[in-house]
Amino acid sequence: MTTMRKAFAGALLALACLVTAPARADITLNLKDADISTLIATVSDVTGKNFIVDNRVKGKVTVVSASPMNANALYETFLAVLQVNGFAAVPAGNTIKIIPEANVRQEASPYTSDGSGLPRDDVVTHVYQLQNVSATQLVPILRPLIPQWGHLAAYQANNTLIISDRAANVARLGKLIAQMDQAGDRDIEKLHLKYASAADTVRVLTSMLQQDVKQGDAAANKPMVIADERSNSILIGGDKTDRDRLIAVVKELDVELPDGGSTQVVYLRYASAENLAPILEGYAQQIKKADSAGGTSGAAAPSTPAASSSSSGGGNGDSRVLADKDTNSLIITAAPKAMRQIRDVIAQLDIQRAQVLVEGIIAEVSANKQRDVGVNWAVYNPDRIAAAGILSSSVSSALSSLGSAAASTSSSSSSNNALIGAAAGALTSGGNMVIGSTTGNTIFGALIQAMRSDGDTNVLSTPSLVTLDNEEAKFSVGQEVPFLSGSYANTGTTSATGVVNPFQTINRKDVGLTLSVTPQISGVGDTIKLKINLETSGIASGAAGSANLITNKRTLSNVVGIENGQILVIGGLIDDQLQSSQTAIPLLGDIPLIGGLFRSNSVKKSKQNLMLFIRPTILRKAADIDYYTRIKYDGVRQSLVDAANRGGGKTNPLLKPYDDYLKDRAPSSNEAPPPAASSAGPGALQAPPSDAKSGN
């Protein structure tokens, strides 16, 4: 009851202080140590606004008014009272929230263009778009003018300022920003150089400007200098004072040398000095002809042969280019203008070329099947008959050998040996059955042969090699096989001693795999043009050094275009052959059922499938080279480990892990020096450092 009475008494006191007139009349407000909630209730009754009061809004207020106020003036006075006491009114739809100022930045305050049109103490948010000055540079200037609870931030992407504060202060800051965001005297001037190099001059000016920044304000707008090497000009941007100062420096640097020329040594990083010197020689000649034609209105000055040939590295009178092979450098003597143009050409030619990893896949699968069935027979009676059915080539050869041996030998032992050799020669691979009988003086014998063979071949070769762009690389794996090309025997020799040493001539040829590639990377994209020469060869039959040596040879020459990392089939061969032959005795071989005794059948079937694939990969960075090298290295090392595990050989030589090899490399100039040697001696083994152990 006591609290209600005090509130009711406060309300009566506030109403007693209001001198009211008829409707729409002005109001005079006088309060002394009144509760702020009473003032809020009074303003709500007079203005018709709805308020939501935070429970932290408490305190006593005093308002002294000497003149009547209308509803709008009363509301502005109310906002000023809230500001004095550390509170703020934030509109929220049809109501107004009264909260402490510390929480205003998280509330949705109204957005206006310039803070006008609202009561002075209303909280608003405004975004200023700056045209000439940097928003980031204005933040430290305007920050002291904004209260602690206010918000000021710069958005560099579109050069804007975001300000959240009371409307009166936002409008004041807007006027200050408008006065500071003025277009100054910054401009850009182009200065053409006649003698000096634009790139060299810009480097001098940049070094000078960096010293000025160290001594002055780093945040100030420093001038800008850019070199246009195509026209040998300099673009200077900044304030007029800075531009005039830089232009004066450039004019002092752009002077003609007293001797009219100079000599410079250019060390090449990637290109070859010997290859580049003739190119620069021709270019220097073109420069002189162009200058002579321009100076004589189209009449070209004659060149001096003696001057042109006085230097082994090339030259044209005034301009000379020498190549030093040992240091891979160029010694250039030329006028300043020609020197600048020659160096520009060198800068465009002396670039690091990418490397290309070329991986090939040669897959060959072949299958051979053969079947031979035949019967060879003979009947002999010295008084009546002698007949034979020889259908097999091996038997025919054996009989021929037997006849030759019998004609050349007379002893019985030699005849027996010849007979045994002929019988052995008649037998072939597979099944051989010999049957025979004797009836009186008639001898009958038969040799039944049956043979079946299956052969499969699977060959997979994966050659790979790395080469520079536009450089040929060749890879060869195989052996040198001797081929008999001629011979000389001592048969029929009539020399004095009767002895002549026989001899043979041998030619050795490479048999194996040979791969030659020349990659060319296109200027745009990752397309690679490959010139490929591939040859695979192997011994098909015969022994090395014999006259009947037969080799299989496959050759491919092609030029293809392929994307980086793409696999392309560049060639292939599918060969399917069937050879069938039958040898039979006429009439007898056609008799049903028993005709098979007078026939010999041979069927040979071969099938070959050969495919060639290739995949190029561009290696531009050190990380790419390390990645593919690690894959190849780890693959070889794992093969050695698997072989050692299968054979149980703990002492087999193995490759070290790839990371261990990387640690053994020599440190670069920016790395820490190696640790000092221990006292254990130069040959003692030492444990790796702790960081090296963790790296594994």
Side-chain angles (χ1 to χ4, degrees):
M1 294 296 294
T2 304
T3 304
M4 293 180 61
R5 288 177 181 177
K6 290 182 178 181
F8 182 71
L12 291 178
L13 178 61
L15 293 175
C17 295
L18 294 174
V19 181
T20 62
R24 304 289 182 181
D26 294 341
I27 302 170
T28 302
L29 180 62
N30 288 286
L31 298 175
K32 183 177 181 181
D33 294 333
D35 192 88
I36 193 171
S37 60
T38 303
L39 176 60
I40 295 173
T42 303
V43 174
S44 178
D45 292 337
V46 175
T47 61
K49 298 180 182 295
N50 301 321
F51 296 103
I52 299 176
V53 184
D54 192 286
N55 56 6
R56 292 169 293 180
V57 178
K58 298 178 182 179
K60 302 292 184 178
V61 297
T62 299
V63 181
V64 179
S65 177
S67 59
M69 297 178 291
N70 57 19
N72 292 335
L74 176 63
Y75 185 68
E76 291 187 2
T77 303
F78 171 66
L79 294 178
V81 172
L82 293 179
Q83 178 187 5
V84 171
N85 290 272
F87 305 115
V90 179
N94 296 328
T95 60
I96 299 174
K97 295 187 292 185
I98 301 177
I99 59 176
E101 287 181 339
N103 301 95
V104 171
R105 68 173 65 187
Q106 287 83 20
E107 297 293 334
S109 57
Y111 172 79
T112 63
S113 59
D114 56 359
S116 62
L118 290 175
R120 292 173 50 84
D121 295 313
D122 244 357
V123 178
V124 296
T125 301
H126 179 65
V127 178
Y128 289 95
Q129 178 68 53
L130 305 181
Q131 302 295 334
N132 301 292
V133 298
S134 173
T136 306
Q137 295 179 359
L138 290 184
V139 169
I141 299 176
L142 300 179
R143 171 59 66 185
L145 304 179
I146 295 179
Q148 185 177 1
W149 59 269
H151 180 68
L152 173 65
Y155 183 54
Q156 297 182 359
N158 56 0
N159 197 35
T160 56
L161 276 176
I162 303 174
I163 302 177
S164 180
D165 198 359
R166 299 191 183 275
N169 197 31
V170 171
R172 180 172 69 101
L173 294 177
K175 295 179 181 179
L176 295 176
I177 293 173
Q179 294 179 2
M180 290 184 290
D181 188 23
Q182 299 292 332
D185 58 353
R186 293 184 63 86
D187 200 356
I188 298 177
E189 295 188 30
K190 179 180 178 182
L191 191 62
H192 179 73
L193 302 183
K194 185 176 180 181
Y195 303 105
S197 170
D200 295 340
T201 306
V202 166
R203 282 194 289 268
V204 175
L205 297 178
T206 303
S207 301
M208 184 180 66
L209 293 175
Q210 290 176 352
Q211 295 297 327
D212 294 343
V213 170
K214 293 180 180 180
Q215 298 176 1
D217 185 10
N221 285 335
K222 56 183 179 181
M224 172 190 62
V225 288
I226 299 176
D228 180 17
E229 298 185 9
R230 182 183 60 85
S231 61
N232 196 38
S233 303
I234 297 178
L235 300 178
I236 302 177
D239 297 335
K240 182 174 178 54
T241 304
D242 295 332
R243 296 199 309 270
D244 293 341
R245 182 169 65 95
L246 294 177
I247 290 174
V249 175
V250 172
K251 290 182 178 179
E252 293 180 2
L253 295 176
D254 187 27
V255 295
E256 186 177 4
L257 297 178
D259 56 356
S262 62
T263 299
Q264 296 184 12
V265 178
V266 180
Y267 293 93
L268 303 180
R269 300 182 59 187
Y270 308 106
S272 171
E274 291 183 315
N275 297 336
L276 200 57
I279 299 176
L280 297 177
E281 171 190 357
Y283 180 68
Q285 293 176 356
Q286 294 297 326
I287 294 176
K288 183 176 180 180
K289 291 181 180 179
D291 293 342
S292 301
T296 59
S297 300
S303 59
T304 304
S308 300
S309 60
S310 60
S311 173
S312 60
N316 65 348
D318 296 335
S319 300
R320 295 184 179 181
V321 180
L322 297 173
D324 183 15
K325 181 180 178 181
D326 296 335
T327 59
N328 194 36
S329 59
L330 295 172
I331 305 173
I332 307 172
T333 301
K337 180 180 179 181
M339 177 70 72
R340 181 177 64 252
Q341 295 174 334
I342 292 175
R343 296 206 60 165
D344 290 343
V345 173
I346 294 174
Q348 298 180 49
L349 295 179
D350 187 27
I351 59 175
Q352 184 177 10
R353 292 183 292 172
Q355 299 185 98
V356 180
L357 168 65
V358 181
E359 298 173 289
I361 300 176
I362 305 172
E364 181 178 357
V365 179
S366 61
N368 298 312
K369 296 183 179 180
Q370 185 174 357
R371 184 182 61 185
D372 294 329
V373 178
V375 177
N376 301 274
W377 56 270
V379 177
Y380 176 72
N381 189 315
D383 300 329
R384 299 180 180 181
I385 186 173
I390 307 301
L391 304 178
S392 175
S393 59
S394 62
V395 176
S396 176
S397 299
L399 293 177
S400 299
S401 300
L402 177 61
S404 299
S408 60
T409 59
S410 58
S411 62
S412 60
S413 60
S414 300
S415 299
N416 292 335
N417 294 334
L419 181 61
I420 294 173
L427 301 179
T428 61
S429 300
N432 295 269
M433 179 181 295
V434 180
I435 59 175
S437 64
T438 303
T439 304
N441 293 331
T442 303
I443 302 174
F444 172 80
L447 173 62
I448 303 175
Q449 294 179 324
M451 188 265 294
R452 177 181 177 181
S453 64
D454 293 334
D456 294 328
T457 304
N458 190 350
V459 179
L460 178 63
S461 302
T462 57
S464 62
L465 67 163
V466 179
T467 181
L468 280 174
D469 181 25
N470 275 329
E471 292 289 343
E472 181 184 8
K474 190 174 182 180
F475 179 79
S476 179
V477 175
Q479 56 183 348
E480 289 187 348
V481 178
F483 288 80
L484 180 63
S485 60
S487 62
Y488 181 80
N490 57 2
T491 304
T493 303
T494 59
S495 62
T497 60
V499 177
V500 175
N501 293 328
F503 64 90
Q504 294 179 337
T505 58
I506 300 293
N507 288 338
R508 294 185 177 271
K509 296 183 180 181
D510 293 333
V511 176
L513 171 67
T514 301
L515 175 63
S516 174
V517 295
T518 303
Q520 180 180 352
I521 304 174
S522 64
V524 180
D526 289 339
T527 303
I528 306 173
K529 178 182 176 182
L530 281 178
K531 182 179 179 182
I532 306 169
N533 291 311
L534 176 64
E535 178 181 326
T536 60
S537 58
I539 300 176
S541 63
S546 61
N548 60 343
L549 189 63
I550 300 175
T551 59
N552 294 329
K553 184 177 180 181
R554 301 165 182 85
T555 304
L556 172 68
S557 296
N558 200 1
V559 178
V560 297
I562 184 173
E563 295 292 330
N564 179 30
Q566 183 182 7
I567 299 178
L568 178 66
V569 55
I570 59 175
L573 171 65
I574 299 178
D575 186 12
D576 195 351
Q577 296 182 5
L578 176 63
Q579 298 177 357
S580 178
S581 62
Q582 184 182 78
T583 305
I585 299 176
L587 300 178
L588 297 179
D590 299 332
I591 300 175
L593 299 178
I594 65 173
L597 300 176
F598 306 98
R599 291 195 304 265
S600 176
N601 297 322
S602 176
V603 179
K604 183 177 181 181
K605 184 177 182 180
S606 62
K607 187 174 183 180
Q608 182 182 20
N609 192 344
L610 173 64
M611 286 293 169
L612 307 176
F613 303 88
I614 201 162
R615 181 179 71 174
T617 303
I618 301 177
L619 307 178
R620 299 187 186 274
K621 302 178 181 178
D624 299 336
I625 299 175
D626 181 75
Y627 172 76
Y628 287 100
T629 303
R630 183 185 295 269
I631 291 178
K632 298 293 184 181
Y633 187 92
D634 291 344
V636 173
R637 183 177 182 274
Q638 188 61 40
S639 299
L640 295 176
V641 173
D642 295 340
N645 293 335
R646 289 193 301 267
K650 297 183 179 180
T651 60
N652 288 13
L654 297 177
L655 292 174
K656 294 192 300 183
Y658 185 75
D659 292 331
D660 292 349
Y661 269 118
L662 292 181
K663 294 173 185 176
D664 294 341
R665 65 184 176 88
S668 58
S669 57
N670 55 357
E671 293 179 349
S678 65
S679 59
L685 296 176
Q686 301 181 20
S690 58
D691 56 346
K693 293 180 181 179
S694 62
N696 291 336

